[in-house]
Amino acid sequence: MKSTFAVRTMRAGELELALEWARQEGWNPGIDDAPAFWEADPSGFLVAAIGEVPVGCISVVRYGERFAFIGLYMLHPEFRGKGYGKQLWNKGMALAGNRTVGLDGVVAQQEYYRKHGFETAYRTLRFGGSAQIPDVGDQAAQVTPVTHGKLEGLVRYDEGVFPGLRHSFIRAWCGSPERRKSFMVGGGSRIRGYGTIRRCFDGYKIGPLFANKPEVARALLARLAGEAKGAPIYLDVPADNLHAVTLAQEFGLSPVFETARMYRGQAPAIPLDRVFGVTTLELG
């Protein structure tokens, strides 16, 4: 009896497989991303399978009723070119419903996304390298670790920058110091910025890096980069934020990769001048 192709919600443990495929594709995810990713939307991760054999995946994380973000869209190389990708894509888009949908598309796939109604909002440049950390003077003392008692204020601050509600994700992402290190400037209703660094298969990624002013972002990046202890760091920067591009260059980082933030539907109003580093290319 021939096994049938189907797309279904991921089961526990299958997100780790998807992230392993992402590693094999050279996307360099964090070594412990799965638990926090899952918190973002447990029913937003789909797997394509032939019988019981997973062959592809896509994530369609829904942030409230107005915004969703697509990532982790891939088929195992052995199963490409057979029409499975189109079925997987259609299931994912159906899950998004009438929400505005965002994604970060690699250059080779941008025309494919345009054909499906996505339009480019801005370019994102991944800067990477071993950081040359400048002296930030008195600003260093203002950077403090994120603790559980500070998460509520952090969630509210994030609402003012990210285009959708992601309370559960932020609590998981920034509230697990054994997995990721998060730092902030200010507190309560006066937070002026925050950032997170995590270990990846190659070096470390910093994201998000949100800040009200370039000098706040600079102090945060100095503290975050110090956690890498000389290992390579990577930061995904909206190219339209010229202060962020300049900051990455000041730290000795160079462009290594490019994507485009694309939307289907009305693009959300994001204060890009406060986005010095995207959280992740998989979840927005």
Side-chain angles (χ1 to χ4, degrees), residues 144-188:
T144 58
V146 172
T147 60
H148 279 280
K150 298 177 180 179
L151 285 174
E152 195 59 42
L154 200 65
V155 165
R156 290 196 299 272
Y157 178 84
D158 188 77
E159 285 180 14
V161 184
F162 191 77
L165 300 176
R166 53 177 186 173
H167 299 177
S168 295
F169 171 75
I170 289 298
R171 288 188 175 94
W173 194 249
C174 300
S176 300
E178 70 281 1
R179 294 189 169 112
R180 288 163 294 276
K181 301 294 184 183
S182 297
F183 298 92
M184 63 198 296
V185 172

Side-chain angles (χ1 to χ4, degrees), residues 80-99:
R80 294 172 186 170
K82 303 178 186 296
Y84 297 143
K86 182 178 181 181
Q87 295 180 64
L88 180 57
W89 173 265
N90 289 342
K91 285 278 192 177
M93 291 305 291
L95 197 61
N98 294 323
R99 295 170 177 84

Side-chain angles (χ1 to χ4, degrees), residues 193-224:
Y194 83 99
T196 299
I197 185 169
R198 73 197 199 276
R199 182 79 176 90
C200 294
F201 289 93
D202 170 27
Y204 291 77
K205 281 184 183 174
I206 291 174
L209 179 55
F210 295 164
N212 293 0
K213 300 288 184 182
E215 57 268 26
V216 175
R218 188 170 182 262
L220 282 165
L221 185 55
R223 181 66 179 270
L224 291 161

